[in-house]
Each structure stands twice: as C-alpha cells, then as structure tokens.
C-alpha cells in the first residue's frame, strides 16, 4: 500500500465503486494495491522463506533449490525509461526482486508481472518486459539468473500457459527465456504450506488476509465431513449412558454462578 | 460398571472430540467466508448464544456449566459496517448476526438447572442450522449494539420481521439447513438470498463482492 502511494500507483478509483464506499472496497478492486500489499509484505520474509514460497507458488519449477538466499533490493514499478512498447507506452514490470542465492553467491533477478480479476497475462507484455530489462543492463548485462514470474491472470495450467507463451515468443524473436506462472490461489496455497513461527508467521498471516480481501481464501467445505464422521461413527448413546452413570453430586451439577 | 465399558466410553470421547474439531474447523471457515460476502462490514464480536462464554483464565470454570466450555455448539458472530458507531447507533443502522447452531435439539431445563443432553430430542429429529440475522435500528438509540443483541430476541419465523418497539429495533432471520451448505457455492447462494430478504424487508442494499 505504501509503495503504491509512493509510486503514484493505485490509479484513480474505479467507476463502479459508489461514493462513500469503504477503503476496503477500493483496495479489493485495485491490481496495483494488491501487488504492492502482497510483495511489500513478502519482502519482510527471510530470504530462504520467501524463496520457498516462490518455489511452491510458481510452475514450472524454475527456481533452483538453495538454502542461502539474500534479498538485496525490491523495486516496485521500476522506471525502465528507455524502453517503450510498439505504442510508445512506458514498459514497467510490477515488481523486480534482486537477490543472491547459494554459496558462492549467484545474483538472481526476478521480474514479476501481476494481473487481477479477469485480465489475462499477455506474451507480448512478457517479451516487452524481458527486452526492456535486457536494454536496462546495457552491453555488459548478463541475463543468466534472470527469471520472469507471472502471477494472476493465468488462464489454464501454469506450465502449459508458460510453454504456449514461450512458443509464441520464440516465433517472434527467435529465443525463449526462463519463466514461470501461478495464480493468486497458488500463492495462497504456498503460504499455507510454509512452516514458520514468530514474526514470520505474522507476515504470513497478513498475506493470507490480504489475499482474502481479494476473494482468495482457503476453506474446508462441509461436504467432506460426512466421510470424516463415517470413520468416527460409533454408538455414542451407549457411551453417553456410561458416562452419565458415573457418581456425580447433583448439587454440584446444578449450581451455576453468574 | 465394568472397566471395559468405561474404556470404550473414553474411546468414544476421543472420537467425538476429533469429529467436533473437524466440524468446528469447517464451521469457522464457513462463517469467515460468509463474512467475506459482506464486503462493507467488519467483524465486531462473537458470543455463545445459548449459554455463557468460556470464562477468563482467572475465573474458575468449574463454577459454570460444562456447556459454557462448548461455545461453538451455538454461537453468533456479529458484523458492523466499517466505521459504524458501536455504542450509539442511528436510525437505519444495521448489524449482521451470523449464527451457527450445531443442534436445534438443545433444551433449557425447566428448573434452570444445567441442561442434560439425555433429555434432548433424538438427534435425527433435530437439525444443524445456519441463521443469518439482520438487526436494524428504527430510531436513534443510546444503547450499544452489544446490549441490543444481548437483550432482545430473535424472531421465531423465517423471513418474518420482529419489531421490538421498546428497544427501537427490528430483527429478521433467514434460516438454512447446515447440511445443505456443503461448499463455497452454497455459502454464496445463502448470502445472496439473505441479501434479497434484507433489501425487501429492511431496505438495506448490500452489494455482492
């Protein structure tokens, strides 16, 4: 949220939000606010924890297994001012994470493009951002260790979407790059699968609530309770009768103090 | 009594507690999801709606009922619009009561003793229910929402508003069979039906998130 305000993002309020609507309503419809809130919070996780969350949330599994992870920099909407797409629009990924992993340390750059609601990911946008990053590095830039992560708006199985996009990108420019995708529910599942405690647990809880405000909440439905009950079924009445027959002072049983 | 019978009974107690956990875990998720359907409202407070809440740590629980230690047997989760005045609501203000009743077979003892489950109706003849209840002020009130909830009754009927003229409050309840709310879709459908009823009877319009 702070990042969204600092960067002048968040846009203007959507037209379908009535006057006097709560900040929560505004927040729940803003892609920029969701991105800022989620990745701003993710940046507070310890490096190895964040790495595990990202590995669990995105497919295919392109991020190497590493236990040593350091977050060097988190940039929101970096201004790659020299880059523009075919329509002259400035190219701005949503988040760029600069990290170091492993021993000896390897530099990693994660370029993240976020979508909200029914707006789908777009291979043209992926390619534009890849090219813009490459341009921002200049002649000395090294693209190994750079990965593209797309979150939200992944319409289909992430591995298949990524493969399809890479096919189209290769047809356009003759090369592919390292990319993975996932939806906000995949991030939610990843957060639930992480075991941490203390302040890290509070960050995870905040992230779960942020996603819930956008309609992503993990629930256990009632339907499977039938199967649970079948495993535990017994004649409880007999046991209830046994327990009721235990000696008990009626005075104690009937006393209720306000 | 044979030791074997008591051993068996304690095994059933363990089974029962695990089943209750499985139910309560889902019931809490259901309430949370239902609350999400009212995007303009925030959680306010919760309470056991049949007995006392579990006591504070420095209060001896053995002086109360064992039912007090089963708060989700029947509980209400109250929600108010963001920023609402909790202590002096105005005419037209409203509160949402998401009520879970695990067993409609619960019966108070005629002599005010602690109810004994052996006197309840057969479980097959009772229901487990979700009730969505709207409380609305019909005038400006100088009483807190907590007091309003505590001191006034729900209506008996389904979708039949009940006026409490002395309290300047009216209440409407819509009841659902919990066994017919198996999944997220059913929760959202119930919320939608309740919103239609609230709009129709109380003129309150809540958007679907």
């Amino acid at each position: 949220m702070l990042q969204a305000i600092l960067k002048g993002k968040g846009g203007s309020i959507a037209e379908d939000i009535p006057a006097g609507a709560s900040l929560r309503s505004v927040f729940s419809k803003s892609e920029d606010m969701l991105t800022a809130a989620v990745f701003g919070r993710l940046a507070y996780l310890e490096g190895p924890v964040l790495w595990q969350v990202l590995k669990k949330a995105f497919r295919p599994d392109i991020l190497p297994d590493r236990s040593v992870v350091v977050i060097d920099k988190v940039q929101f909407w970096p201004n790659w001012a020299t880059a523009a797409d075919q329509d002259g629009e400035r190219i701005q990924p949503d988040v760029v994470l600069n990290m170091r992993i492993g021993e000896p340390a390897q530099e990693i750059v994660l370029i993240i493009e976020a979508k909200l609601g029914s707006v789908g990911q777009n291979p043209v946008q992926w390619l534009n951002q890849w090219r813009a990053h490459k341009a921002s590095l200049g002649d000395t830039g090294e693209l190994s260790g750079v990965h593209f992560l797309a979150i939200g708006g992944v319409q289909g199985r992430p591995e298949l979407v990524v493969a399809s996009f890479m096919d189209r990108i290769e047809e356009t420019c003759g090369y592919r790059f390292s990319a993975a995708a996932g939806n906000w529910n995949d991030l939610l599942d990843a957060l639930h699968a992480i075991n941490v405690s203390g302040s890290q647990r509070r960050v995870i809880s905040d992230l779960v609530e942020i996603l819930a405000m956008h309609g992503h909440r993990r629930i256990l439905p009632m339907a499977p309770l039938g199967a649970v009950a079948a495993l535990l079924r017994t004649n409880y009445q007999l046991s209830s009768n046994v327990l009721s027959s235990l000696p008990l002072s009626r005075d104690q049983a009937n006393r209720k103090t306000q | 009594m044979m030791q074997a019978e008591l051993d068996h009974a304690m095994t059933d107690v363990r089974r029962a507690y695990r089943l209750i956990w499985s139910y309560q875990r889902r019931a809490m998720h259901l309430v949370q999801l239902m609350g999400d359907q009212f995007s303009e409202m925030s959680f306010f407070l919760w309470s056991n709606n049949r007995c006392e809440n579990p006591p504070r740590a420095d209060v001896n629980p053995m002086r109360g009922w064992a039912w007090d230690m089963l708060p989700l047997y029947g509980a209400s989760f109250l929600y108010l619009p963001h920023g609402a005045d909790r202590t002096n609501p105005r005419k037209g203000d409203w509160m949402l009561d998401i009520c879970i009743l695990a067993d409609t077979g619960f019966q108070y003892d005629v002599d005010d003793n602690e109810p004994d489950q052996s006197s309840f109706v057969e479980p097959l003849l009772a229901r487990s229910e979700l009730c969505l209840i709207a409380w609305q002020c019909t005038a400006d009130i100088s009483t807190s929402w907590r007091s309003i909830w505590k001191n006034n009754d729900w209506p008996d009927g389904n979708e039949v508003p009940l006026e409490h003229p002395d309290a300047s409050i009216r209440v409407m309840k819509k009841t659902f069979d919990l066994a017919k709310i198996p999944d997220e879709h059913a929760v959202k459908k119930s919320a939608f039906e309740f919103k239609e009823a609230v709009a129709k009877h109380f003129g309150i319009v809540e958007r679907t998130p």
Side-chain angles (χ1 to χ4, degrees):
Chain A
M1 182 76 166
L2 172 64
Q3 294 299 331
I5 294 169
L6 289 175
K7 291 285 187 173
K9 298 291 280 186
S12 54
I13 295 175
E15 290 178 0
D16 60 344
I17 296 177
S22 65
L23 185 60
R24 187 185 179 112
S25 298
V26 174
F27 176 81
S28 67
K29 290 185 187 294
S30 167
E31 176 187 296
D32 287 338
M33 288 194 183
L34 172 64
T35 303
V38 167
F39 286 92
R41 270 289 185 278
L42 281 172
Y44 281 101
L45 290 175
E46 291 166 4
V49 177
L50 172 59
W51 196 250
Q52 285 306 308
V53 170
L54 296 175
K55 276 184 66 66
K56 287 177 189 296
F58 291 93
R59 287 288 172 268
D61 187 7
I62 57 172
L63 302 179
D65 275 319
R66 293 289 186 273
S67 56
V68 177
V69 179
V70 176
I71 305 170
D72 284 328
K73 189 162 60 172
V74 180
Q75 300 173 76
F76 290 88
W77 307 287
N79 199 354
W80 291 337
T82 57
D85 67 10
Q86 299 154 349
D87 301 319
E89 295 287 330
R90 190 177 56 182
I91 294 174
Q92 232 182 10
D94 289 309
V95 186
V96 175
L97 293 172
N98 293 87
M99 307 171 81
R100 279 173 290 132
I101 63 171
E103 292 283 3
Q106 177 194 359
E107 291 190 3
I108 292 285
V109 178
L110 301 179
I111 303 169
I112 298 169
E113 175 61 29
K115 298 289 183 203
L116 178 67
S118 58
V119 178
Q121 293 284 346
N122 182 335
V124 173
Q125 190 177 29
W126 289 20
L127 179 57
N128 284 342
Q129 289 186 11
W130 186 263
R131 282 170 164 165
H133 176 65
K134 190 176 169 189
S136 73
L137 296 176
D139 292 335
T140 58
E142 174 58 62
L143 280 171
S144 69
V146 183
H147 306 280
F148 189 94
L149 300 180
I151 185 157
V154 180
Q155 291 155 350
R157 274 185 55 196
E159 304 94 317
L160 299 180
V161 169
V162 170
S164 166
F165 279 23
M166 284 300 131
D167 287 344
R168 289 163 65 179
I169 286 169
E170 190 169 27
E171 281 172 19
T172 304
C173 62
Y175 60 79
R176 306 167 80 92
F177 51 83
S178 175
N183 279 312
W184 294 105
N185 275 330
D186 297 316
L187 177 60
L188 181 64
D189 288 344
L191 291 168
H192 277 295
I194 292 291
N195 274 323
V196 290
S197 58
S199 62
Q200 297 289 283
R201 173 48 53 190
R202 286 192 287 277
V203 174
I204 299 281
S205 294
D206 282 353
L207 284 159
V208 168
E209 283 311 307
I210 290 166
L211 290 169
M213 279 201 272
H214 283 263
H216 304 287
R217 190 185 285 283
R218 173 191 272 197
I219 64 161
L220 283 176
M222 281 291 176
L225 190 61
V228 173
L231 290 172
L232 296 167
R233 187 160 293 135
T234 182
N235 189 338
Y236 287 108
Q237 193 56 56
L238 287 177
S239 295
S240 174
N241 292 343
V242 165
L243 292 171
S244 294
S245 70
L246 287 171
L248 183 68
S249 160
R250 293 299 294 173
D251 289 338
Q252 275 185 306
N254 293 332
R255 189 189 342 148
K256 177 172 170 73
T257 303
Q258 294 298 322
Chain B
M1 178 206 330
M2 303 275 291
Q3 182 61 47
E5 286 180 327
L6 186 52
D7 286 342
H8 186 83
M10 294 314 299
T11 302
D12 277 353
V13 168
R14 295 189 288 278
R15 286 192 182 112
Y17 266 105
R18 294 174 195 196
L19 179 59
I20 289 301
W21 174 84
S22 297
Y23 159 71
Q24 291 194 170
R25 177 65 278 169
R26 286 163 171 80
M28 289 167 70
H29 276 162
L30 186 156
V31 171
Q32 199 160 42
L33 183 59
M34 184 63 77
D36 288 348
Q37 306 311 306
F38 297 84
S39 57
E40 299 298 322
M41 305 191 86
S42 307
F43 172 78
F44 166 40
L45 64 82
W46 77 277
S47 181
N48 186 331
N49 56 30
R50 286 202 165 118
C51 310
E52 302 293 328
N53 283 341
R56 295 194 320 264
D58 58 346
V59 175
N60 186 351
M62 275 63 78
R63 303 181 75 185
W65 289 353
W67 290 114
D68 299 345
M69 302 298 270
L70 295 168
L72 289 200
Y73 184 63
S76 276
F77 301 85
L78 307 180
Y79 289 72
L80 289 171
H82 306 308
D85 189 333
R86 298 176 173 192
T87 52
N88 294 288
R90 303 274 74 92
K91 180 181 177 182
D93 288 354
W94 82 289
M95 178 172 71
L96 170 66
D97 181 346
I98 301 174
C99 165
I100 292 272
L101 295 173
D103 180 6
T104 58
F106 178 88
Q107 276 182 292
Y108 291 104
D109 183 83
V110 293
D111 297 318
D112 284 340
N113 294 323
E114 177 165 10
D116 186 335
Q117 62 82 24
S118 62
S119 66
F120 296 173
V121 296
E122 170 63 36
L124 281 172
L125 299 178
R127 289 205 326 172
S128 301
E129 290 183 344
L130 165 73
C131 301
L132 297 177
I133 302 150
W135 299 78
Q136 189 182 43
C137 298
T138 54
D140 294 353
I141 301 177
S142 57
T143 312
S144 69
W145 274 117
R146 181 193 288 257
S147 286
I148 290 167
W149 181 83
K150 207 170 162 56
N151 297 316
N152 293 281
D153 293 331
W154 294 327
D156 289 327
N158 195 28
E159 260 195 80
V160 179
L162 174 66
E163 299 272 346
H164 294 286
D166 292 347
S168 298
I169 278 287
R170 57 182 180 173
V171 197
M172 189 206 64
K173 178 177 71 165
K174 191 157 173 68
T175 301
F176 304 88
D177 183 347
L178 206 48
K180 302 229 173 19
I181 308 185
D183 54 28
E184 187 171 334
H185 171 76
V187 171
K188 290 179 177 176
K189 182 166 175 285
S190 306
F192 181 77
E193 291 175 12
F194 174 72
K195 287 176 188 178
E196 284 195 319
V198 166
K200 176 182 165 190
H201 293 288
F202 286 0
I204 298 168
V205 177
E206 273 286 314
R207 291 176 305 117
T208 298

